[in-house]
Amino acid sequence: MNKYFYPHIPPSWVAASPMKNVAGTTFKWGQELFPQSPDNSKNARYDSDDIVYKINSLGYREQEFENSYHQYDELFLGFGNSSAAGTGVAEKDVFLRVLEGKLHNSRVLNLAIAKGAPDTVARMVACTVPYFKPLCKKLSIVIMWPQEVRREVFLDHHHESITPTSDEPYRGYFMGIDNTSCKYNRDKNKHMVDLVCELYGVDQFTVPWKMYSDSVDELLIGTDTARDGASPSPKSHVKFADCIIDQVNVRDQERLQ
């Protein structure tokens, strides 16, 4: 238990093992990590030389983490899946980066993990909130919740996020995944995040699931996509960022009253 749940920045490859192979590097296509990824030159719709994935030493699409963020008025930690990490869009277009540009003297860290599950988000929040809290003036979190059907499974030879396209970690595993178990897993993880935020006095902002699902619907009809044709477009990322800005503004106005 202590290996995963203590104040630290967990390496992304705990949830997505291929990330360990690209930590500290820059690469072009998602298929270089995940063979089934639609992010490849064959499927590319809107390719651009500036769409690359620059990964830090812990496996995140982020600069190397600093020892202090006290120079900023507020530090935001961003969590989610590949869409939150910015699959198929340039670094400047990732909604967490767009959000940072719209905030005053604030820093937003991209801690989203491709293949991440709701369990991943809750585990990451439990580990990183107590880690970053002493390193900044004010700490808040931003979440784009991953698909409910995903799970994070810790076994001797399989300790990453599981999706319906993954191999079963053990025989009959997917027989236990249904709407009831998905709702329970979702509620459990959201409750854990709420408790951590309450304990540490951290504000929580969330991209509404409908907003994310609507962006996916746009992909299905091909009207607005990222480079891979299967992820939210830069336009959708701006909508996500604006939604969070609205929530931050409401919080700030309420505190002024």
Side-chain angles (χ1 to χ4, degrees):
M1 187 68 72
N2 288 338
K3 183 177 181 182
Y4 300 107
F5 294 100
Y6 65 92
H8 73 306
I9 308 174
S12 68
W13 51 84
V14 172
S17 57
M19 296 304 299
K20 190 171 186 178
N21 299 325
V22 295
T25 70
T26 299
F27 61 95
K28 175 76 171 175
W29 301 102
Q31 194 178 47
E32 296 176 45
L33 275 81
F34 307 106
Q36 294 179 329
S37 172
D39 188 32
N40 57 66
S41 56
K42 182 178 179 181
N43 290 340
R45 292 177 58 113
Y46 308 107
D47 194 12
S48 171
D49 289 337
D50 67 349
I51 302 180
V52 295
Y53 305 105
K54 187 174 182 180
I55 310 301
N56 70 15
S57 59
L58 284 177
Y60 296 96
R61 195 179 187 186
E62 182 57 76
Q63 299 175 25
E64 293 298 332
F65 299 111
E66 301 174 27
N67 294 323
S68 174
Y69 292 91
H70 280 95
Q71 65 268 41
Y72 303 103
D73 293 332
E74 189 165 3
L75 175 67
F76 292 81
L77 308 180
F79 306 97
N81 57 8
S82 57
S83 294
T87 296
V89 299
E91 168 69 17
K92 64 180 177 60
D93 293 324
V94 179
F95 93 91
L96 293 168
R97 203 56 54 227
V98 176
L99 173 64
E100 184 177 71
K102 291 174 177 283
L103 293 165
H104 173 70
N105 193 34
S106 296
R107 181 77 167 88
V108 181
L109 299 182
N110 189 344
L111 293 169
I113 301 176
K115 294 181 66 176
D119 312 297
T120 308
V121 169
R123 176 178 60 79
M124 288 289 297
V125 169
C127 293
T128 58
V129 163
Y131 175 84
F132 282 103
K133 179 73 173 178
L135 304 183
C136 62
K137 293 178 182 176
K138 177 173 178 53
L139 183 65
S140 294
I141 68 170
V142 177
I143 299 176
M144 177 188 283
W145 284 99
Q147 296 88 332
E148 294 178 3
V149 72
R150 296 183 177 187
R151 300 288 191 278
E152 194 170 68
V153 180
F154 293 90
L155 299 174
D156 290 343
H157 302 293
H158 205 128
H159 57 276
E160 61 183 34
S161 295
I162 302 296
T163 73
T165 59
S166 306
D167 293 331
E168 288 189 300
Y170 54 83
R171 186 176 179 183
Y173 173 80
F174 286 115
M175 294 293 289
I177 305 296
D178 57 18
N179 289 337
T180 299
S181 68
C182 283
K183 182 180 183 303
Y184 170 78
N185 194 57
R186 176 198 66 201
D187 293 347
K188 173 200 71 175
N189 285 300
K190 288 187 175 181
H191 187 55
M192 180 176 177
V193 168
D194 290 342
L195 287 174
V196 171
C197 290
E198 182 179 356
L199 177 63
Y200 288 93
V202 169
D203 291 326
Q204 177 184 166
F205 305 101
T206 305
V207 175
W209 175 256
K210 187 178 186 307
M211 178 173 284
Y212 173 63
S213 62
D214 285 348
S215 73
V216 174
D217 289 341
E218 291 175 348
L219 307 179
L220 296 178
I221 60 177
T223 58
D224 193 20
T225 69
R227 175 180 68 185
D228 62 354
S231 299
S233 70
K235 252 189 233 182
S236 293
H237 279 267
V238 171
K239 292 178 183 177
F240 301 154
D242 285 342
C243 178
I244 300 299
I245 287 292
D246 289 342
Q247 295 175 49
V248 172
N249 287 338
V250 168
R251 177 203 66 181
D252 293 343
Q253 289 171 5
E254 289 177 346
R255 288 183 178 170
L256 287 173
Q257 294 175 356

